[in-house]
Amino acid sequence: MASTSRPNSLQEDDDDAEEEVQHFDDFTLASSWERFISDIEATCRQWLADGPKNLVEKGAVTVEDSKNLFKVKYDLKNVTKSYCMEFYFQIDDNGSQRAGVDHWNSISHDLQLCFGVKDFLLIAPQSASGVLLDTPESSKLLSSVAIALSNCASLWPAFVPVHDPSRNAYIGIQNMGTVFTRRFEADRIGSQVPVKLMHLEGLYELFVSKFVYSGVDFSMHTFKVHFMMRLTYETFTSDEDDENNDIDEFMGDKADTAEHHGSESRNKVHWDDDCPWSEWYSAEDPLRGFELVVTWADRTVENTLEMAELENATPHEAEKWILHPVLSPYLGEPSHGKRIDFSSQLLCLVEALGTSFAAQFMEDFVSVENSSSESLKTSVVIPPPTVLDRVIKDLFHEGSKLPNFTKGEHRLSRALKAAPLESLFTQFCLHSLWFGNCNIREFVREVRWCWEESQPLPKMPIDGSIDLSTCLIHQKLHLLAICIEKNREMNEEFLDCIGSDDSSDASVSVEENHKVDKRRNRSSKADLQRKRDSSIAEDTSNQLRFERKAESKNSVNQIRTDAFRRGSAGPVGTMMLLKSHQPLHAPFTQDPPLMTEDMHEERLQAVEAFGDSLVSLNSLPVEVNMAWLSAKTFLASWRRTSYYLVIADMSAFKAANPNAVFEDFIRWHSPGDWESSEPEAAEASAGSSTEGSKDKWPPHGRLSKRMSDQGNLWRKSWNDAPALQADDQKPLLDPNREGEKILHYLETVRPHQLLEQMVCTAFRGAADTLNQTNFGDMRQMTSKLEQLYLIIKSTLGVLQRNHVPDREQTVKDLTRLCVAFEHVEKLVTVAASLHRKFLDASRLAQVIFSDFYSLYVPMMGINSNDEEENKSRTEMQVGRQEVSFRERQMVSNLFSPPSANQSWRKVLSMGNLLNGHEPILREIIFSTGDDVNNGIHYAAAADVAASGDRRGEEIETHRMYVSGTSNDLRVALSVTSCD
């Protein structure tokens, strides 16, 4: 029974046990604290299972100011309190997890710098302060995390923020995977740092006190400690310099007048005083300053004496220099009229162009009394009209020295239909940018004064041909300057004639002298009239007198076949006259009449109207006759565009060759209309004629068909042309008439026609000004400027037409052009600033600019109206560049010695001065270690080595990170112990 009953009883016991298992209650998870630990453990296991790559794919967030540091977070709740657990981890750009962490990585997390860890957990309460003010609570929370990490076999260190938020204090713990445990603690002294801790000796003793007995005299013993130090220096920013200058001015002579004070402020030295744009505005320095990080590599120190020597060491003895440029915030945000530069003022001019299309007259667009139209929006304070008058007068009284028009000109500048940079109209346009006034009345008033007083126009050539590639106003000003010069020459000749006559008649009585002078003045004016082409002053009697004189001279030439040559420029090779067998001489001829673009257009319109007409030329007006003949000669040579010019050439040719015939003139003037049957023989006979051989004379040839037609206009003109040398001919250019026409055009120009030319000229002038900037060998900048010229050319092309097809779209395109100009202008200022600061270290300038260029150029296409984009654009930072030993002296020169005003505000107490500058931040790492192979409980040494410590056979027992200044000190300590 017993034997049989036992199995039954066992079976019953198993059934009861099975029922108990099915209804088992695990009372080990009954408390809230244990459930809290279980929740942490489950989350950590999930993160461990996912790994860094999967966590990034699942939406891990990049930590601000870091490209390789990511974080994920999880919300926890324990009874009444809520916590946030964050896991920070690092991966390389290729997606692999980093093998270690750099102690001096500037983009590392604060806890990574303090404790030298890589991946870590951070648990903080979800409260306003974000820290734990209760010490038992913080210890309990840290213990919970430690237990959870131990259960899932994780080696992540965990940290908890404690104390007041201003102290930036933490406590932490890490399971080393062996019998070792690592504990962390960090705290901060925000004021009244003990004097002893301001120096390296005191900090060294503080660290040593953490692992030796308190009664040991540090000065009598040596303790080997690993030491690393990093010092950060900073130059004074431009804002600080301006503030200091203002203080110096305030502390200076207060009795100066406001005018004198203004002149002194203008004489203040700015960073861009020698830059080409400084004539128009002063740009903010795009480089606000520099941060220099000087690093002393890992070394072993044994006593406080060595620390004192290190404190007195110069930064030039450090192993590594890293330079970090600090950019101005304005580089990353659109101006929106907040800054004063070319692009912002060009935008105002474009807006003025948009309003000018609706105005028919200049009075409708902007009045004389009000120097600024309501339509014009400008970001500067517009000076009063008196200032504008003074600037205009100064512009016209700068002197008559002709500037170099090719100065600063880019090879693509001439593709823009605008005036040269140094010309009068360009200077007016650039001045208009800063006065917010497009009224041309003051400008024309000064131009008319120069015309009436026969004073040369400033910044305009007085000779040469009209450059038709420039804008129309510049062409007319050039022609006006030539007219003024011709009037001055004729006036001087007239006064010379009066002076010579007065000296010869000194014995004549006063009354008789007055009559003689009056009669001689009329005679002198009649002589001068032959050199003027003034249709306004010319009358019929003068014209008849001119013709009678020409006929009389022509009759004398016909009587004397061997007459004296006049106006000859010399023989033309071996060419001979056909009838007289005398050398053919080329005459001095008048210059062709100068014409502006609109004059050429009028002439071409006449060609289109009468070029194919069969109407007799003699029945047409003289102007139409001129246009018809110019059509025949325009395609062959632009110089022969006037009927009067052909007549003048014929007259000069007759004067230089008295025995010439019409065929001789054609052979010289239009060789294509002389058809030679034996060209080689003709040339040989012409050459032998000089030797007296006449058997092959005259040369065999004939006129072309068009020249030999019955009633040919050229032959008729030849027969009517008098023999007059160029000096005796009536001038082809009438300076009085052309000058008045030009002034009439300037006074009646339509607002949109004026603004179109001003926009083109202002863009070219601003671009040429930037092109003069010296930025060294920065090829990116050269390429970007060339792209700017191409964009300007394509955008402004529509303004070069007589009619703008889509005015609204044109204004929009010009607005976008202003944005592109703004970007290039910023690049130019950065390149110029870098070049000026690194004249002796061009490599650094190029590397820094390349880094900035690669960062900024992708942002040039961002829509400036997007506020979210603007927020990200304000935070531009270029990379840090290592400084070579050869470049250190130049970099140290960037840290100019502080002025007296800058020195008294700072107490120099930290040592390691650089040109009088003490570091703004000092970071030190003390560490000491022990051999891990001293006992069997160190069997997991490989695990320790893999955890990232810098010595494979040593375990770091103590590490202390110190950062701060003489008024701010932060200490972070980590201790490894065998618990």
Side-chain angles (χ1 to χ4, degrees):
M1 290 293 297
S3 61
T4 58
S5 63
R6 184 171 181 82
N8 293 333
S9 62
L10 291 175
Q11 185 177 1
E12 293 176 0
D13 293 340
D14 292 339
D15 294 338
D16 295 339
E18 186 176 2
E19 292 179 359
E20 292 178 359
V21 170
Q22 292 177 354
H23 303 284
F24 175 73
D25 293 330
D26 190 357
F27 292 98
T28 59
L29 298 179
S31 67
S32 60
W33 179 62
E34 292 171 330
R35 287 194 297 270
F36 181 67
I37 295 175
S38 177
D39 196 6
I40 296 175
E41 180 181 346
T43 303
C44 292
R45 288 184 183 275
Q46 183 63 45
W47 287 344
L48 284 170
D50 289 339
K53 292 183 180 179
N54 292 332
L55 289 176
V56 173
E57 294 177 357
K58 289 183 177 181
V61 180
T62 306
V63 178
E64 187 177 2
D65 298 333
S66 178
K67 297 180 180 180
N68 300 320
L69 185 61
F70 300 84
K71 71 174 181 179
V72 291
K73 66 178 182 178
Y74 180 76
D75 294 334
L76 301 170
K77 188 172 183 180
N78 182 20
V79 188
T80 59
K81 285 196 174 184
S82 298
Y83 300 91
C84 178
M85 183 172 64
E86 296 177 334
F87 172 49
Y88 291 80
F89 60 95
Q90 284 185 288
I91 58 175
D92 288 333
D93 294 334
N94 57 9
S96 61
Q97 194 169 10
R98 294 170 61 93
V101 62
D102 184 3
H103 288 294
W104 301 123
N105 191 351
S106 59
I107 60 175
S108 298
H109 190 274
D110 178 61
L111 294 177
Q112 291 178 324
L113 287 174
C114 288
F115 302 112
V117 297
K118 180 182 60 177
D119 303 338
F120 61 93
L121 288 175
L122 178 62
I123 301 181
Q126 293 182 347
S127 60
S129 63
V131 296
L132 295 170
L133 304 179
D134 187 5
T135 302
E137 180 185 2
S138 61
S139 301
K140 183 178 181 180
L141 179 61
L142 194 61
S143 300
S144 302
V145 177
I147 294 173
L149 292 176
S150 178
N151 292 339
C152 58
S154 174
L155 301 181
W156 295 339
F159 300 96
V160 173
V162 294
H163 304 309
D164 186 80
S166 62
R167 294 172 60 176
N168 202 13
Y170 292 91
I171 60 173
I173 192 170
Q174 180 184 14
N175 179 18
M176 303 293 290
T178 61
V179 294
F180 294 102
T181 301
R182 200 175 187 182
R183 288 180 172 81
F184 308 96
E185 184 177 0
D187 208 342
R188 173 176 173 266
I189 302 176
S191 61
Q192 297 182 351
V193 178
V195 177
K196 184 177 182 180
L197 298 182
M198 295 181 185
H199 302 283
L200 295 182
E201 302 99 305
L203 295 174
Y204 170 79
E205 293 179 357
L206 175 65
F207 175 68
V208 172
S209 65
K210 300 300 179 181
F211 58 88
V212 299
Y213 294 110
S214 58
V216 176
D217 186 0
F218 298 137
S219 62
M220 301 299 296
H221 297 79
T222 60
F223 305 95
K224 291 185 179 182
V225 174
H226 295 278
F227 169 83
M228 298 174 64
M229 182 170 65
R230 182 173 71 173
L231 304 177
T232 302
Y233 300 88
E234 185 179 58
T235 60
F236 293 109
T237 61
S238 56
D239 295 339
E240 290 180 354
D241 291 338
D242 293 340
E243 180 183 354
N244 295 329
N245 291 332
D246 294 340
I247 294 177
D248 293 339
E249 290 179 2
F250 179 77
M251 297 300 293
D253 188 7
K254 299 181 181 179
D256 291 342
T257 62
E259 181 179 359
H260 177 69
H261 178 75
S263 62
E264 289 294 332
S265 62
R266 287 193 298 270
N267 293 331
K268 188 189 300 183
V269 178
H270 295 276
W271 77 272
D272 60 346
D273 278 347
D274 56 350
C275 292
W277 63 77
S278 60
E279 179 183 357
W280 307 105
Y281 69 95
S282 180
E284 178 184 349
D285 194 342
L287 299 176
R288 299 192 63 187
F290 293 90
E291 286 186 358
L292 178 64
V293 179
V294 178
T295 304
W296 272 265
D298 190 1
R299 64 184 64 193
T300 302
V301 294
E302 297 184 356
N303 50 52
T304 57
L305 181 60
E306 294 183 22
M307 300 303 299
E309 293 176 355
L310 284 173
E311 185 170 338
N312 295 325
T314 173
H316 289 272
E317 299 178 7
E319 285 78 8
K320 193 174 184 179
W321 280 28
I322 299 294
L323 186 66
H324 178 222
V326 180
L327 300 178
S328 177
Y330 87 86
L331 292 174
E333 58 186 7
S335 62
H336 294 308
K338 299 177 182 177
R339 293 187 310 278
I340 305 301
D341 51 19
F342 278 132
S343 60
S344 62
Q345 303 310 113
L346 287 172
L347 182 60
C348 297
L349 190 61
V350 170
E351 294 174 355
L353 174 63
T355 61
S356 67
F357 290 116
Q360 186 175 3
F361 302 104
M362 187 58 65
E363 288 77 5
D364 301 333
F365 178 66
V366 57
S367 62
V368 179
E369 293 77 15
N370 185 10
S371 62
S372 62
S373 173
E374 295 180 357
S375 303
L376 300 180
K377 300 176 182 179
T378 178
S379 57
V380 298
V381 178
I382 300 177
T386 55
V387 178
L388 176 61
D389 293 340
R390 177 172 55 82
V391 171
I392 293 294
K393 288 184 179 297
D394 292 342
L395 179 62
F396 277 84
H397 295 83
E398 289 182 352
S400 58
K401 184 179 179 181
L402 184 64
N404 182 13
F405 284 162
T406 61
K407 178 182 178 183
E409 187 178 77
H410 193 272
R411 64 182 184 86
L412 297 176
S413 292
R414 299 187 65 83
L416 307 177
K417 197 170 184 60
L421 174 61
E422 298 295 330
S423 65
L424 178 62
F425 184 59
T426 301
Q427 296 300 305
F428 166 72
C429 293
L430 294 180
H431 277 295
S432 299
L433 293 179
W434 312 107
F435 282 91
N437 188 354
C438 303
N439 189 4
I440 201 174
R441 282 181 173 267
E442 291 84 359
F443 179 78
V444 177
R445 181 190 62 197
E446 295 298 327
V447 172
R448 178 169 285 280
W449 180 88
C450 293
W451 165 252
E452 294 176 350
E453 300 296 329
S454 296
Q455 296 297 320
L457 279 180
K459 300 180 181 297
M460 293 303 299
I462 58 176
D463 54 9
S465 60
I466 305 298
D467 188 358
L468 300 181
S469 65
T470 60
C471 64
L472 183 58
I473 292 181
H474 176 75
Q475 297 177 35
K476 290 188 174 295
L477 290 176
H478 186 186
L479 182 57
L480 181 63
I482 295 175
C483 293
I484 293 175
E485 183 62 22
K486 289 187 177 297
N487 275 342
R488 291 186 64 187
E489 292 175 356
M490 288 188 288
N491 290 338
E492 290 176 358
E493 292 179 3
F494 179 73
L495 294 176
D496 290 343
C497 293
I498 295 177
S500 60
D501 290 344
D502 289 343
S503 61
S504 62
D505 296 337
S507 61
V508 182
S509 63
V510 176
E511 182 178 357
E512 293 178 353
N513 193 15
H514 177 73
K515 296 179 179 179
V516 172
D517 289 342
K518 188 174 182 180
R519 184 172 59 255
R520 287 173 180 171
N521 287 346
R522 289 197 299 266
S523 176
S524 299
K525 291 180 179 179
D527 293 336
L528 289 174
Q529 189 64 37
R530 291 195 300 271
K531 297 184 179 180
R532 295 175 180 242
D533 187 19
S534 177
S535 61
I536 299 175
E538 185 177 48
D539 56 13
T540 306
S541 60
N542 290 337
Q543 180 67 24
L544 293 175
R545 184 165 58 251
F546 175 80
E547 292 178 355
R548 285 198 300 270
K549 183 176 180 180
E551 292 176 357
S552 63
K553 289 187 177 182
N554 192 24
S555 63
V556 172
N557 291 337
Q558 293 176 356
I559 295 173
R560 299 177 57 187
T561 56
D562 55 348
F564 179 71
R565 297 180 186 273
R566 290 165 295 130
S568 172
V572 182
T574 59
M575 294 182 65
M576 307 295 289
L577 298 177
L578 294 177
K579 299 299 183 181
S580 63
H581 199 205
Q582 296 178 352
L584 187 150
H585 284 241
F588 288 109
T589 59
Q590 293 194 58
D591 293 331
L594 299 175
M595 294 187 296
T596 58
E597 183 180 10
D598 57 339
M599 298 168 65
H600 279 289
E601 291 178 356
E602 294 175 359
R603 194 171 294 273
L604 290 177
Q605 290 174 2
V607 170
E608 294 176 358
F610 302 103
D612 298 331
S613 177
L614 299 178
V615 181
S616 173
L617 291 176
N618 294 329
S619 64
L620 295 176
V622 176
E623 291 78 4
V624 177
N625 197 338
M626 287 170 46
W628 190 92
L629 186 57
S630 66
K632 297 297 183 182
T633 59
F634 184 79
L635 298 178
S637 172
W638 71 272
R639 295 182 69 250
R640 304 297 188 261
T641 57
S642 172
Y643 172 74
Y644 290 139
L645 180 59
V646 176
I647 298 296
D649 290 348
M650 289 180 177
S651 298
F653 188 82
K654 282 185 175 182
N657 301 278
N659 298 321
V661 294
F662 177 64
E663 286 77 3
D664 293 324
F665 176 75
I666 294 300
R667 292 168 59 210
W668 168 73
H669 187 277
S670 182
D673 287 314
W674 175 258
E675 298 177 355
S676 177
S677 57
E678 295 177 353
E680 295 182 1
E683 291 297 332
S685 63
S688 61
S689 64
T690 59
E691 300 176 0
S693 175
K694 299 183 179 180
D695 54 340
K696 295 183 179 180
W697 188 264
H700 298 282
R702 63 181 181 274
L703 293 174
S704 64
K705 181 179 180 181
R706 77 182 187 100
M707 288 297 177
S708 59
D709 288 342
Q710 186 70 21
N712 180 266
L713 180 63
W714 285 63
R715 184 177 290 277
K716 182 180 181 301
S717 301
W718 171 264
N719 296 331
D720 296 338
L724 291 175
Q725 61 179 344
D727 291 341
D728 295 334
Q729 295 175 7
K730 183 175 62 175
L732 297 175
L733 175 66
D734 181 358
N736 290 325
R737 180 180 61 186
E738 296 300 333
E740 290 296 336
K741 288 172 62 178
I742 292 171
L743 289 171
H744 177 73
Y745 169 81
L746 294 177
E747 291 171 343
T748 60
V749 62
R750 293 289 184 87
H752 72 89
Q753 294 175 344
L754 171 65
L755 266 297
E756 288 170 2
Q757 298 183 63
M758 289 184 66
V759 167
C760 294
T761 300
F763 268 104
R764 174 178 170 175
D768 285 345
T769 301
L770 296 182
N771 187 55
Q772 296 180 11
T773 307
N774 184 11
F775 43 73
D777 187 20
M778 297 182 184
R779 298 180 180 179
Q780 305 99 323
M781 200 64 256
T782 304
S783 174
K784 188 56 65 176
L785 278 174
E786 185 169 337
Q787 293 178 16
L788 176 64
Y789 276 101
L790 294 175
I791 296 174
I792 294 176
K793 176 186 175 182
S794 62
T795 307
L796 298 182
V798 67
L799 297 181
Q800 301 176 11
R801 307 172 186 172
N802 294 330
H803 176 69
V804 180
D806 190 348
R807 295 175 176 178
E808 183 177 355
Q809 183 61 38
T810 299
V811 173
K812 291 182 179 179
D813 294 340
L814 291 174
T815 302
R816 285 192 290 267
L817 177 61
C818 293
V819 176
F821 198 99
E822 176 188 354
H823 292 312
V824 177
E825 191 171 8
K826 289 180 180 179
L827 290 173
V828 170
T829 55
V830 173
S833 182
L834 285 171
H835 178 69
R836 286 168 48 85
K837 293 176 174 62
F838 295 95
L839 287 175
D840 297 329
S842 58
R843 184 198 68 85
L844 274 177
Q846 294 178 11
V847 171
I848 294 174
F849 182 77
S850 298
D851 192 11
F852 171 76
Y853 184 85
S854 61
L855 179 66
Y856 186 80
V857 167
M859 300 166 54
M860 293 175 62
I862 296 178
N863 185 3
S864 60
N865 296 325
D866 193 338
E867 297 181 358
E868 294 299 327
E869 296 288 355
N870 289 342
K871 292 180 180 179
S872 62
R873 294 177 67 187
T874 57
E875 302 174 356
M876 293 184 58
Q877 289 188 359
V878 295
R880 302 171 183 267
Q881 306 298 332
E882 185 171 356
V883 182
S884 64
F885 283 95
R886 183 180 60 85
E887 298 167 334
R888 288 189 178 185
Q889 183 58 46
M890 193 285 309
V891 172
S892 64
N893 293 336
L894 296 175
F895 296 81
S896 57
S899 63
N901 181 48
Q902 294 166 342
S903 298
W904 70 265
R905 295 183 301 171
K906 296 183 178 181
V907 180
L908 304 180
S909 56
M910 295 178 60
N912 301 117
L913 302 182
L914 177 63
N915 291 347
H917 294 258
E918 72 173 4
I920 63 169
L921 179 64
R922 179 174 60 186
E923 299 172 275
I924 303 172
I925 295 179
F926 294 103
S927 62
T928 183
D930 198 0
D931 191 357
V932 300
N933 298 319
N934 289 336
I936 58 174
H937 59 281
Y938 299 111
D943 295 336
V944 177
S947 64
D949 292 339
R950 67 176 183 274
R951 292 174 296 279
E953 297 182 356
E954 267 191 358
I955 183 172
E956 191 177 65
T957 58
H958 294 79
R959 182 186 188 274
M960 187 173 73
Y961 170 80
V962 181
S963 67
T965 63
S966 57
N967 298 321
D968 184 11
L969 183 65
R970 187 182 186 196
V971 179
L973 179 66
S974 63
V975 179
T976 303
S977 61
C978 179
D979 294 341

